[in-house]
Amino acid sequence: MDPFDAGAGGLLKQPKSVWATAGASVVAFMGIGLVDPILPSIAQGLDATASQVSLLFTSYFLITAVAMLVTGFVSSRIGGRRTLLLGLAFVVVFAGLAGTSGSVGELVGFRAGWGLGNALFVSTALAVIVGAAAGGSAAAILLYESALGLGMACGPLLGALLGDASWRYPFFGTAFLMAVGFLCIAVFLKEQPKPARKTSPLDPIKALGHGGLASAAVSAFFYNYTFFTVLAFTPFVLNMSPYRSGAVFFAWGVLLAVFSVIVAPRLQKRFGSLKVLGGSLVLLAADVLVLGYGSHTAAVVCTILSGAFIGVNNTVYTELALGVSDAPRPVASAGYNFVRWFAAAAAPFFAPKIEEWTDVHIPFVVAALTAVAGATVVVVRRKALTLPQALDSARAGGTPTAEEPEPKHATEDGITVFAN
């Protein structure tokens, strides 16, 4: 079935509950890049340094990483709908409080609470979309990936539009939009059935005992350091107005969405997942080196171009995490995300510190080296990462055999993945 088919079960013919959850997902993903264009404004408004303001990302993703161990525990006990509403409530409260912050310390703390709410929401959203969607999981997954890309693209744009007047307004705007999302889900989404098996917080840790999953997680850890160096540190290097910075990261997000949803699957079908991932990581390393050492114009172009490589990487890493081990998909995803989000927390903290210790170029050298390290793990551990070749077979039109199980995209035990 073509997921873009407007007929029954197609992407455009989904229940209101699916659209409500997807819409809230867009806003949730917007929160990741929302602060990008206003980081310099926040630093100026709160009389803070770049390293202090970058803690907005560090606290957010540190809490997100730890929360990955408990989101399955919560969802498997109270159900998907209540978990979504709980996560949205946390975001509404803490995003609103972030806008009232009088110091960097307060803002960082409120951003951490926001991260907990976002983890609860996005770690459950795909399961709910797949469970409520018409026509199987293909259109549902595409809709979720599209929501992710749209949110990552629009977050910086919203931050720029509202942040031009005051750095506080983007936080209030997010709180308002998430409150609308809360109401839509409360009205349109029915309660989801609870899974038969309850998840333990230790299950994701145990799943990392699988060599393939551990390899994917370690490679993704290095990659995410590069990813979030670009996302959190580059705005200080570009040193542009909120509008200009927002436009740059909007273009970055558009490339991320297009390459994640459209280009990556086609590349995987032709070349295979591991070759595509290794090549994309190396190209990303070259891109961030030029970003760090090139002219201002080159830095802008390379920032936008990095979205293409990041989009490809996100898609391939998702499938590696979900398909490489025999662990239940939500458990494998939680373990994988637990490892990789620590890099998302580390990069925004260390990049400006490295600049303070050395110069503005070296953070990008480190980011290039971590991308190469991620590619090296893929090459060295390629035998442990061979199961996803079944995904390539499926894309090429082949029928997976007993040794080549079908791609693990959807959910299991009623809990979802949040791998992108």
Side-chain angles (χ1 to χ4, degrees), residues 281-316:
L281 287 168
V282 171
L283 290 173
L284 179 61
D287 181 81
V288 296
L289 276 179
V290 177
L291 196 165
Y293 281 93
S295 64
H296 188 268
T297 300
V300 170
V301 172
C302 288
T303 298
I304 296 172
L305 183 60
S306 69
F309 306 125
I310 289 170
V312 170
N313 294 338
N314 283 352
T315 294
V316 181

Side-chain angles (χ1 to χ4, degrees), residues 2 7 17 61 103 110 150 168 176 200 234 239 247 268 295 302 319 328 330 334 345 350 373 390:
D2 181 0
S17 59
F61 287 114
S103 67
F110 293 142
L150 184 61
R168 300 180 186 274
F176 172 77
S200 164
T234 301
N239 193 26
Q268 288 174 275
S295 64
C302 288
E319 296 178 350
F350 283 111

Side-chain angles (χ1 to χ4, degrees), residues 65 208 217-218 221 334-343:
L208 289 170
V218 170
F221 174 90
Y336 161 80
N337 281 292
F338 173 71
V339 173
R340 79 177 185 116
W341 284 123
F342 277 109

